Amino acid sequence: MNINGKVALITGASSGIGAATALKLAAAGVKVGIAARRADRLYALRAEIAGKGGDAVVLEMDVTDPTAIERGMETLIGSYGSIDILFNNAGVMPVSEIDRFKTDEWNAMVDINIKGVLNTTAAVLPHMIRQHSGHIFNTSSIAGRKVFGPGFTVYSATKFAVTAFSEGLRMEISKKHNIRVTCIQPGGVMTELPEQTTDPEKRKLLDDHRTSIRFLDPEDIADALLFATQAPAHVNVAELFVMPIEQI
Amino acid sequence: MFERLENTVALVTGASSGIGRAAALRLAQSGAVVAIVARRADRLEALAAEIRRNGGIVLPIAADITSSDEAIAVVTRITSELGRLDTLINAAGLMLNGPSIESPLSEWDRMIDINLRGLIYVTKAALPHLIDAVASSPRNVADVVNISSVAGRFAAPQVAIYNATKFAVTAATEAWRQEFTRRSVRFSVIEPGATATELFDQKAGQREGFASMFGEVEQMHPQDIAEAVAFIVTNPRRVAINEIVLRPTDQA
Ligand SMILES: NC(=O)c1ccc[n+]([C@@H]2O[C@H](COP(=O)([O-])OP(=O)(O)OC[C@H]3O[C@@H](n4cnc5c(N)ncnc54)[C@H](OP(=O)(O)O)[C@@H]3O)[C@@H](O)[C@H]2O)c1
Ligand SMILES: NC(=O)c1ccc[n+]([C@@H]2O[C@H](COP(=O)([O-])OP(=O)(O)OC[C@H]3O[C@@H](n4cnc5c(N)ncnc54)[C@H](OP(=O)(O)O)[C@@H]3O)[C@@H](O)[C@H]2O)c1
């Protein structure tokens, strides 16, 4: 399917996988709404996209805030008139063991990784239903397929939720509203994700892991997303599990 | 980003029809030398002619891979005639669904023989050669892509033994992946939904059974699955696409 001229909303576009995907989609001719909290990063990304001949609009929004998302959607629709692709990518992974009781971090993961996906989907879906087409990508993780060891318990719980939501969403809207749903499940990707981890031991573990094996580049995940969205309209890539070759 | 497959050899089972046939054409298009395997020699010759017309190099081998001797002979012939084996696409398969009390045991045996035994015979014979290929490959990687099914993820009434064989393929692929990924042999599983091939024709009533579960569905084409195969195999070494579930958008 030719995606030139389509419109995408990417949450968590200020760094990592989201930023790389914004660049790739823009290079393929997609107009991208780039959303996150750090506006300075988004303006820099917009300049980079524009410098390469692409088209992007900055949407400063916190996915935990439905009003901010509504405002973002107004700007996006005002700029481009429609929305074809939603990439629910914003997420955080503060790693700590349960008996540390970092409940603020647990709540942040639930609010961003789960509710953020629900909030954004709720704001975008009416547009896609109206136009009877669209493609929603949700970023789960290998941690949404198997429960990792100590420290990842709540993160895994949120990513299992994303996997389950994706599957149910697909069942509800793919045939009825002609909207494709893809659940992307990456392994280790070289991004800013470890920076949310406040526990020094766990932070070291995360940093060591990415030097012990060659992590994926964020662009590799962007390529997987492009593969799925460029597939013919009658093909729904429901799940994509992508890992570094050295990760077991 | 996506790499060419020149100077590599691919073995595709089930190449006389459907997904295997499309995968063989697609890999040849990416530059791979393809060995095409199934029982129907005439079909293989026709496909070989098509690949040659497109400028590809092809070795048709008629064999029944439910015999481990024949599976081993296939792999031996490929490595001796083509020099190496870099890519294995296990697409041969059979679906014979129906009510369990009425279905003859022989149908269940046939599904186990091809979907599971055939796949493991070929894979076992190929493994040492795939490991060897990594060392001499310009891409430093070898690939096994197993065609399981959404029936390898979700069980349903009257599908018991097909489900069992496909769950087994998904499980074996994941275990092999863990065993071999650090040796640069990537194991991937593709789990397609309904695809327009001869699969449903092997037993009366299967199309009706599917329609009663999913209603009217615009099926995928074998080429759609072949694109997923190519996406997996042509990714750079560092990127392991472990699993892809592909469904018709209509197959809720
Ligand atoms: N990297 C990996 O190894 C890996 C593996 C599997 C899955 N993932 C998933 O991939 C997704 C992207 O992460 P990444 O690896 O690219 O990490 P990253 O570089 O840290 O990017 C995370 C993005 O999420 C945004 N974000 C965080 N909280 C937000 C909020 N409340 N509202 C809006 N945006 C918010 C961040 O932007 P602001 O801070 O500017 O808001 C940032 O753009 C996440 O869902 C993550 O769980 C990553
Ligand atoms: N079509 C679908 O909806 C669908 C969905 C999910 C998964 N799949 C899977 O996709 C794979 C390919 O099936 P298809 O849909 O392409 O069906 P198909 O058109 O019937 O092709 C099946 C292939 O398997 C070969 N084969 C069967 N028994 C064999 C044996 N003993 N030795 C060697 N080759 C043998 C057949 O060739 P000969 O008869 O010439 O030997 C034929 O080339 C199967 O594993 C199937 O389970 C299909």
Side-chain angles (χ1 to χ4, degrees):
Chain A
M1 192 154 105
N2 186 3
I3 56 172
N4 187 31
K6 300 223 178 256
V7 179
L9 167 61
I10 302 169
T11 70
S14 62
S15 78
I17 296 169
T21 306
L23 280 161
K24 286 250 183 194
L25 283 174
V30 176
K31 292 173 264 191
V32 285
I34 45 177
R37 293 166 304 180
R38 287 170 296 176
D40 53 332
R41 295 282 205 106
L42 296 175
Y43 282 106
L45 178 62
R46 187 184 69 173
E48 189 179 349
I49 289 171
K52 293 173 174 163
D55 196 348
V57 61
V58 168
L59 309 170
E60 185 179 344
M61 72 186 213
D62 184 326
V63 294
T64 66
D65 176 359
T67 327
I69 298 173
E70 274 310 328
R71 266 200 318 274
M73 277 306 289
E74 276 166 31
T75 308
L76 183 77
I77 299 292
S79 307
Y80 300 139
S82 65
I83 175 159
D84 306 296
I85 300 165
L86 165 62
F87 187 16
N88 276 316
N89 164 74
V92 291
M93 185 185 74
V95 180
S96 68
E97 289 181 27
I98 287 295
D99 57 12
R100 297 276 176 127
F101 296 100
K102 290 185 184 265
T103 51
D104 289 348
E105 296 186 350
W106 304 356
N107 285 322
M109 282 189 274
V110 171
D111 288 341
I112 298 167
N113 300 0
I114 305 178
K115 287 186 180 170
V117 171
L118 302 183
N119 292 335
T120 313
T121 304
V124 168
L125 204 47
H127 297 274
M128 291 183 169
I129 290 175
R130 209 173 304 122
Q131 69 198 24
H132 198 65
S133 70
H135 198 156
I136 298 177
F137 288 88
N138 296 329
T139 315
S140 178
S141 165
I142 181 178
R145 300 174 55 102
K146 71 177 188 198
V147 182
F148 275 16
F152 292 87
T153 302
V154 178
Y155 182 71
S156 267
T158 65
K159 291 301 185 180
F160 268 72
V162 171
T163 302
F165 177 64
S166 304
E167 183 67 4
L169 185 67
R170 185 188 61 68
M171 290 172 175
E172 289 206 45
I173 67 174
S174 67
K175 181 166 190 166
K176 186 173 180 194
H177 297 297
N178 190 38
I179 298 166
R180 299 185 289 176
V181 180
T182 300
C183 181
I184 300 198
Q185 302 148 357
V189 187
M190 208 60 166
T191 68
E192 297 174 16
L193 200 65
E195 290 177 20
Q196 312 299 327
T197 293
T198 52
D199 180 317
E201 255 173 57
K202 294 298 178 194
R203 179 59 197 269
K204 185 172 182 314
L205 194 100
L206 295 175
D207 290 342
D208 288 350
H209 191 212
R210 47 171 62 198
T211 50
S212 72
I213 66 169
R214 163 77 158 89
F215 268 36
L216 294 179
D217 298 332
E219 289 75 17
D220 297 329
I221 305 302
D223 283 336
L225 182 138
L226 260 87
F227 161 73
T229 200
Q230 288 173 332
H234 65 271
V235 178
N236 184 19
V237 180
E239 292 181 45
L240 258 172
F241 178 25
V242 188
M243 294 235 286
I245 192 171
E246 290 165 278
Q247 186 173 1
I248 292 169
Chain B
M1 106 192 126
F2 297 111
E3 298 175 346
R4 299 274 313 162
L5 302 174
E6 266 83 16
N7 303 317
T8 70
V9 174
L11 159 56
V12 182
T13 73
S16 64
S17 163
I19 293 169
R21 182 177 183 283
L25 280 163
R26 183 62 186 79
L27 293 178
Q29 192 191 319
S30 276
V33 174
V34 285
I36 50 176
V37 174
R39 289 165 306 180
R40 285 170 291 178
D42 53 334
R43 296 279 204 108
L44 294 178
E45 285 307 333
L47 174 62
E50 185 171 347
I51 291 173
R52 288 189 193 108
R53 268 200 307 281
N54 300 340
I57 303 172
V58 59
L59 175 64
I61 306 175
D64 182 342
I65 57 170
T66 62
S67 142
S68 67
D69 288 344
E70 287 195 42
I72 292 166
V74 162
V75 171
T76 307
R77 180 145 171 231
I78 291 167
T79 52
S80 60
E81 286 188 33
L82 303 172
R84 55 190 298 118
L85 180 56
D86 302 84
T87 308
L88 167 60
I89 313 297
N90 281 309
L94 177 65
M95 181 173 83
L96 303 168
N97 294 332
S100 295
I101 291 177
E102 290 81 359
S103 296
L105 190 58
S106 61
E107 291 187 348
W108 294 359
D109 282 333
R110 285 174 63 204
M111 283 192 280
I112 293 168
D113 283 345
I114 181 62
N115 299 357
L116 188 53
R117 290 208 167 87
L119 181 142
I120 67 183
Y121 293 159
V122 175
T123 304
K124 185 136 183 17
L127 265 168
H129 302 287
L130 294 166
I131 299 274
D132 285 350
V134 171
S136 58
S137 155
R139 300 175 66 227
N140 297 114
V141 71
D143 281 292
V144 179
V145 181
N146 291 333
I147 310 298
S148 175
S149 167
V150 291
R153 295 283 295 269
F154 305 94
Q158 305 199 2
V159 189
I161 307 309
Y162 187 67
N163 279 144
T165 61
K166 292 300 184 180
F167 270 72
V169 169
T170 294
T173 310
E174 172 60 14
W176 277 324
R177 182 189 74 71
Q178 294 183 25
E179 186 173 351
F180 290 104
T181 194
R182 293 236 165 132
R183 295 163 81 180
S184 298
V185 182
R186 299 183 295 197
F187 272 84
S188 307
V189 62
I190 299 180
E191 291 148 331
T195 310
T197 69
E198 296 173 14
L199 191 76
F200 285 85
D201 305 333
Q202 305 300 332
K203 185 176 171 181
Q206 296 197 107
R207 288 194 192 278
E208 294 72 13
F210 179 84
S212 76
M213 273 181 79
F214 294 103
E216 196 64 30
V217 168
E218 182 186 348
Q219 298 201 343
M220 295 185 291
H221 306 296
Q223 293 80 355
D224 300 325
I225 318 304
E227 276 311 314
V229 170
F231 173 69
I232 289 169
V233 172
T234 61
N235 246 290
R237 177 191 172 278
R238 66 171 182 280
V239 186
I241 310 290
N242 298 339
E243 187 165 347
I244 298 181
V245 180
L246 280 169
R247 287 169 173 269
T249 304
D250 285 350
Q251 187 181 343

